Amino acid sequence: MMAHIQYAMQDAISLENLHPHQQEMWGARPGSSVWSSLYYTICKPPFSTAKLANIDYSVDFSKLTNENDQVAVIDTKPLTVDEHRKEFKQGQLLMFNNGLPYLELYDCDEVEQQGH
């Protein structure tokens, strides 16, 4: 399942501000030449401040996380100006577990054997 946080959050962070969505594979219909890019970045300690690209807003993640936290952020266009993003290759499928990307079949199988 894919989910994203809605930008229009006005209150506390909660499940109501997350919603699952479904999209056709890579944002295109079968036979279409349309390609909707996807990007990801891995955030891990030491955390820093992230500045949003489209508005004047930043978040200091070092104050909101601890040394055991790690997360993958996946978006259709880079949301921040100060974090390096990797672009998915067209048709590429990655599996993310505990904030890390897995591409190779044997790696995915190992994660699945762990019950994740």
Side-chain angles (χ1 to χ4, degrees):
M1 176 191 312
M2 295 176 70
H4 65 89
I5 299 174
Q6 296 175 340
Y7 171 70
M9 284 194 299
Q10 300 297 321
D11 297 318
I13 296 173
S14 67
L15 276 177
E16 289 75 25
N17 288 322
L18 295 173
H19 68 88
H21 63 89
Q22 186 172 334
Q23 176 178 339
E24 296 193 24
M25 185 65 163
W26 309 119
R29 296 187 176 177
S32 171
S33 61
V34 173
W35 163 246
S36 293
S37 299
L38 286 176
Y39 299 84
Y40 74 93
T41 189
I42 306 301
C43 303
K44 58 186 178 182
F47 290 97
S48 61
T49 299
K51 181 175 177 1
L52 293 180
N54 60 345
I55 62 171
D56 185 22
Y57 187 79
S58 60
V59 176
D60 184 356
F61 285 105
S62 68
K63 295 180 179 178
L64 303 170
T65 57
N66 65 53
E67 66 276 355
N68 298 318
D69 290 336
Q70 182 164 286
V71 66
V73 177
I74 304 167
D75 43 27
T76 54
K77 62 181 180 178
L79 297 173
T80 57
V81 295
D82 48 5
E83 295 177 306
H84 175 72
R85 295 275 200 266
K86 294 182 182 179
E87 185 175 7
F88 282 67
K89 296 176 184 159
Q90 187 170 2
Q92 182 179 39
L93 180 63
L94 292 173
M95 180 178 79
F96 290 84
N97 182 59
N98 292 328
L100 293 174
Y102 295 89
L103 174 62
E104 301 298 328
L105 183 59
Y106 56 84
D107 290 331
C108 295
D109 182 59
E110 186 175 309
V111 170
E112 188 174 312
Q113 295 300 323
Q114 296 171 12
H116 297 182

